[in-house]
Amino acid sequence: MTKIRIATTSLAGCFGCHTSFLDMDERLVELLEHVEFDRSPLNDIKHCGPCDIGLVEGGLCNADNVHVLREVRANCRVLVAVGACAINGGIPAMRNHFGLGACLEESYLNGIGVEDPQIPDDAELPLLLDKVHPIHEVVRVDYYLPGCPPSPEGFLSVLGDLLEGREPVLPKKLLHYD
Amino acid sequence: MSAGANQPEFSPNTFTMDGIEIPFKDGQTLMDAALAAGVYIPHLCHHPGLTPHGSCKLCMVDIGSGRASSCTTPAVAGQQVSNNTPALNEARRTLTQMLFIEGNHLCPSCEKTGNCTLQAMAYHLGMLEGHFPQFFQRREVDASHSTVMLDRDRCILCELCVRASREVDGKNVFAVAGRGITARLIVNSPSGKLADSDLEIDDLAAHICPVGAILIKAHAYEIPIGWRTFDLRQIDEIGPEKVIQARVGHTDD
Ligand code: SF4
Ligand code: SF4
Ligand code: FES
């Protein structure tokens, strides 16, 4: 039986959603009988090939996030926005209250405990976006799995529905935003 | 059920909502009668005992071919009302999404999470995401008061605090200024700051906020996240008293 191919990525997130995914513990072994991973921080594959499902953690805070998101979207038949940050920007979007310049100055020049103050400008660093955005503002998103992070049961519920060819419906007791 | 020739086909002083007969007293609104009968109509800007405001529109119901806010519509004997229908809940979900994207509702960082009526409404309506582009408005935080905190990022302009202050506390601490997208909650004090108002911690206005906009300082995490009112139950499963207790931050089960 061909396995369902899944890509995962963490953009402007904290890897908490990925950690929660791994928290399904031994249920992961059973899941791996039905799925295999493409690009994912879990296996360190960097680029995305054709996949059935893409799980995207985190919102968009820089140009690289947008690039990765577009690559994942282009390769995945079904894209799932996972967690608060992918869905509405989450905690990183708290910087949207301030200008980008003010954020950089606070972090790298005037912040408490800063030594050798300078704003990083290496050409290898991705350019920051003016504001942090949820992913549905840039690509089409097929399903949403809220939570900060979503519980392992939430992942299993959405993946279980998709594996069985059903439209995912998150049970009410698994729906939470925190 | 056959009624005599001169009898109305309905019992006097009841109306029917989703097939259930609900009694009412003269002058009672559909909302108050439903709440008294233990039937849940979604609502955000209503609080029993305060003058109805009719602004959030979550409580709209279908009466015959029309649609009306149940918190401002007097009950009439024999009315046929629809409340819990897919079409109404869809419209309510859209309104709730608009409230989320208009303010800054980052629940994981909000003290009110789990006790918040807006969030509970979103859960009840199965809202997974905000759908519309986020406004990311910048709104003013007022932490000047010694015991009460005002974070306008989460204010939904329901005016419960405005009415509680005027009608119950006998003060006039809050008002809404501006219209449309510039509408905002203001504090009636010379500096515009809460510290210079006559708001006190025991005022109803300090406790009635359905969201995390008016918060009592230093009590936020007495009940851990995961064990709060709406972590344990859906909003339509608990009576209005418990919804109100959740506002005040008490969870006793
Ligand atoms: S007020 Fe309610 S909906 Fe808004 S951030 Fe706080 S918990 Fe979430
Ligand atoms: S502060 Fe709270 S109670 Fe007052 S208008 Fe805003 S949301 Fe309503
Ligand atoms: S509760 Fe009726 S309009 Fe808000």
Side-chain angles (χ1 to χ4, degrees):
Chain A
M1 189 186 90
T2 51
K3 290 186 172 178
I4 297 287
R5 210 164 162 81
I6 300 183
T8 82
T9 184
S10 178
L11 306 174
C14 68
F15 282 91
C17 297
H18 276 79
T19 309
S20 183
F21 180 88
L22 293 178
D23 247 356
M24 65 178 76
D25 299 331
E26 68 276 10
R27 288 169 290 182
L28 196 53
V29 177
E30 205 214 322
L31 182 68
L32 285 172
E33 301 194 350
H34 308 284
V35 310
E36 61 191 3
F37 285 95
D38 195 281
R39 180 218 195 281
S40 170
L42 304 176
N43 54 21
D44 216 20
I45 299 175
K46 302 293 186 200
H47 287 283
C48 191
C51 284
D52 300 292
I53 301 170
L55 302 178
V56 179
E57 165 188 338
L60 305 162
C61 79
N62 64 35
D64 183 62
N65 294 154
V66 177
H67 177 81
V68 172
L69 176 64
R70 289 208 165 117
E71 182 181 292
V72 171
R73 171 70 274 187
N75 281 287
C76 294
R77 290 196 298 128
V78 171
L79 194 78
V80 186
V82 172
C85 303
I87 290 172
N88 72 2
I91 302 295
M94 291 176 90
R95 85 151 151 92
N96 292 356
H97 275 38
F98 307 94
L100 187 53
C103 291
L104 288 169
E105 281 166 21
E106 184 64 22
S107 303
Y108 294 106
L109 301 183
N110 311 323
I112 296 165
V114 172
E115 284 175 27
D116 185 17
Q118 50 178 311
I119 291 177
D121 65 347
D122 193 288
E124 292 219 345
L125 293 173
L127 285 174
L128 294 175
L129 304 182
D130 180 41
K131 283 196 171 11
V132 177
H133 291 274
I135 66 169
H136 72 85
E137 293 184 13
V138 172
V139 297
R140 180 171 55 80
V141 173
D142 300 295
Y143 299 107
Y144 296 85
L145 175 57
C148 185
S151 61
E153 291 73 25
F155 281 102
L156 285 168
S157 165
V158 171
L159 289 177
D161 283 346
L162 287 172
L163 288 176
E164 307 246 327
R166 284 193 303 261
E167 186 96 355
V169 178
L170 197 64
K172 283 227 169 119
K173 69 175 172 21
L174 295 182
L175 175 56
H176 64 98
Y177 302 158
D178 52 15
Chain B
M1 175 183 82
S2 83
N6 298 322
Q7 298 288 313
E9 284 182 355
F10 43 82
S11 353
N13 287 354
T14 68
F15 62 93
T16 310
M17 195 165 77
D18 296 340
I20 299 170
E21 214 170 326
I22 297 182
F24 69 93
K25 298 195 197 78
D26 269 345
Q28 222 173 9
T29 59
L30 293 170
M31 171 68 78
D32 282 334
L35 282 177
V39 176
Y40 180 69
I41 304 177
H43 59 279
L44 285 174
C45 73
H46 184 68
H47 182 89
L50 295 183
T51 308
H53 195 235
S55 62
C56 76
K57 298 298 171 216
L58 265 288
C59 72
M60 61 191 168
V61 290
D62 288 333
I63 308 167
S65 59
R67 195 164 271 189
S69 307
S70 58
C71 69
T72 54
T73 305
V76 172
Q79 252 169 347
Q80 302 283 329
V81 180
S82 303
N83 165 39
N84 191 12
T85 71
L88 280 167
N89 286 334
E90 178 81 38
R92 288 167 179 151
R93 185 160 63 234
T94 303
L95 289 172
T96 307
Q97 286 172 319
M98 295 199 294
L99 289 172
F100 267 81
I101 59 103
E102 189 181 296
N104 294 301
H105 293 279
L106 304 169
C107 300
S109 71
C110 179
E111 292 181 9
K112 196 75 174 181
T113 190
N115 279 332
C116 168
T117 317
L118 176 66
Q119 187 189 58
M121 183 67 65
Y123 293 169
H124 172 65
L125 298 169
M127 180 187 122
L128 298 179
E129 40 83 44
H131 183 75
F132 303 102
Q134 290 272 151
F135 280 25
F136 290 127
Q137 290 197 70
R138 181 155 188 194
R139 296 181 181 166
E140 197 192 334
V141 174
D142 180 349
S144 63
H145 195 279
S146 58
T147 47
V148 183
M149 162 96 187
L150 172 59
D151 186 340
R152 292 180 175 86
D153 274 345
R154 306 177 189 128
C155 174
I156 57 171
L157 300 170
C158 67
E159 292 203 22
L160 282 171
C161 59
V162 176
R163 286 173 281 157
S165 184
R166 290 179 193 164
E167 297 174 18
V168 178
D169 304 333
K171 302 181 183 178
N172 187 15
V173 174
F174 297 105
V176 169
R179 298 186 72 81
I181 198 59
T182 66
R184 65 207 177 276
L185 190 73
I186 57 165
V187 174
N188 294 321
S189 71
S191 62
K193 295 283 184 202
L194 268 186
D196 297 325
S197 74
D198 50 359
L199 183 73
E200 289 167 294
I201 189 162
D202 293 327
D203 291 352
L204 182 61
H207 296 271
I208 200 169
C209 184
V211 294
I214 299 177
L215 295 162
I216 305 300
K217 289 183 176 177
H219 291 279
Y221 292 98
E222 280 167 0
I223 300 162
I225 291 171
W227 292 97
R228 300 179 176 191
T229 305
F230 303 116
D231 294 327
L232 305 175
R233 308 262 200 87
Q234 291 282 318
I235 193 168
D236 61 332
E237 291 171 356
I238 62 179
E241 301 78 22
K242 285 246 163 51
V243 174
I244 292 162
Q245 281 173 14
R247 284 190 193 146
V248 189
H250 305 313
T251 306
D252 59 9
D253 60 357

